[in-house]
Amino acid sequence: MNLEAVMQELEALGKERTKKIYISNGAHEPLFGVATGAMKPIAKKIKMNQPLAEELYATGNYDAMYFAGIIADPNEMTEEDYERWMDGAYFYMLSDFVVAVTLSESDIAQQVADKWIASGEELRMSAGWSCYCWLLGNRPDHQFSEQKIAGMLELAASTIQDSPTRTKFSMSNFIYTVGISYLPLHAKALETAKALEPIEVQLDNAKSKHLQPAGNILKSLERGQLGFKRKYVRC
């Protein structure tokens, strides 16, 4: 399938209600409003196709950009490619659920995510922390340095309250993910989460919300999810 054919299929799958939901979360035109699950049949036909993924991402159409992440070849992308994709990720659903997800399946995931976490830029930091959530929730514990993850927990604890909004969400999710999906530091993550709550974030509609990583860890423990690893990261 070429770019034109994929765009036609995506447009046909668009729903006005879904489009409004995406816009309420920060997406803007152009977009069709395609539910992510509806993209799976097209993805199965294409499988991985990095050149086509690049064309789709470059359209600036949210649905096409999301689909680009599904068919991208993570290890064919260089650090420069990921930086370029991040430059085009104008809100968190792209930075955290397209770019970070794709990066998490690459061999350079940690080194790129580390740079983003240290960047000082809200969406890059958010994507960096999110990438570790995807990594820890999928890869075996032995692939990570316990000392490094412990240091990241301490960094999150000392900086989350003063971090930008989207970064706060991702940092809170990182603490939760360590508490559930990385067994060596389960106890430390839970202790860290309890000490931090409540974590207040200011939303665009002037309302505030309190993040509760400790509460979420405890809920997951009640459901027997300690040690949870997802089989696939991308759909």
Side-chain angles (χ1 to χ4, degrees), residues 2-174:
N2 60 20
L3 174 64
E4 183 179 0
V6 175
M7 293 299 286
Q8 288 176 350
E9 290 214 23
L10 289 174
E11 185 173 11
L13 292 169
K15 304 290 184 184
E16 193 62 31
R17 182 174 179 275
T18 305
K19 183 176 179 177
K20 288 178 180 178
I21 292 171
Y22 291 161
I23 290 174
S24 71
N25 278 279
H28 58 58
E29 295 284 0
L31 77 162
F32 302 131
V34 184
T36 56
M39 296 179 180
K40 289 183 179 181
I42 316 174
K44 286 182 179 179
K45 288 189 286 186
I46 298 173
K47 296 183 172 59
M48 284 197 293
N49 186 325
Q50 187 59 33
L52 180 55
E54 290 290 356
E55 289 185 286
L56 287 161
Y57 199 84
T59 64
N61 177 294
Y62 168 70
D63 301 286
M65 295 170 82
Y66 191 98
F67 188 69
I70 296 175
I71 66 167
D73 185 340
N75 279 319
E76 197 172 309
M77 294 179 68
T78 65
E79 183 173 338
E80 290 71 25
D81 292 328
Y82 284 108
E83 291 290 354
R84 178 166 43 79
W85 276 36
M86 267 305 303
D87 288 341
Y90 62 86
F91 77 124
Y92 79 96
M93 287 172 66
L94 288 170
S95 63
D96 294 8
F97 297 101
V98 176
V99 187
V101 170
T102 306
L103 175 63
S104 73
E105 292 195 359
S106 75
D107 295 335
I108 59 173
Q110 291 193 48
Q111 70 186 60
V112 175
D114 289 345
K115 289 182 180 179
W116 289 351
I117 287 171
S119 70
E121 298 176 26
E122 181 173 12
L123 289 182
R124 270 184 164 77
M125 290 190 293
S126 180
W129 288 105
S130 289
C131 183
Y132 270 95
C133 294
W134 298 114
L135 285 166
L136 292 164
N138 171 252
R139 299 189 185 186
D141 288 348
H142 66 78
Q143 291 189 12
F144 302 93
S145 161
E146 182 176 341
Q147 182 179 2
K148 177 179 181 178
I149 301 301
M152 292 178 70
L153 270 178
E154 292 169 5
L155 176 64
S158 63
T159 61
I160 190 170
Q161 301 290 4
D162 297 319
S163 293
T165 296
R166 286 316 320 176
T167 308
K168 277 186 178 181
F169 276 101
S170 295
M171 293 169 87
S172 176
N173 194 37
F174 170 80

Side-chain angles (χ1 to χ4, degrees), residues 105 134 137-140 228-235:
E105 292 195 359
W134 298 114
N138 171 252
R139 299 189 185 186
F228 168 78
K229 299 284 184 180
R230 53 177 62 84
K231 190 174 182 181
Y232 301 105
V233 178
R234 293 185 294 174
C235 66

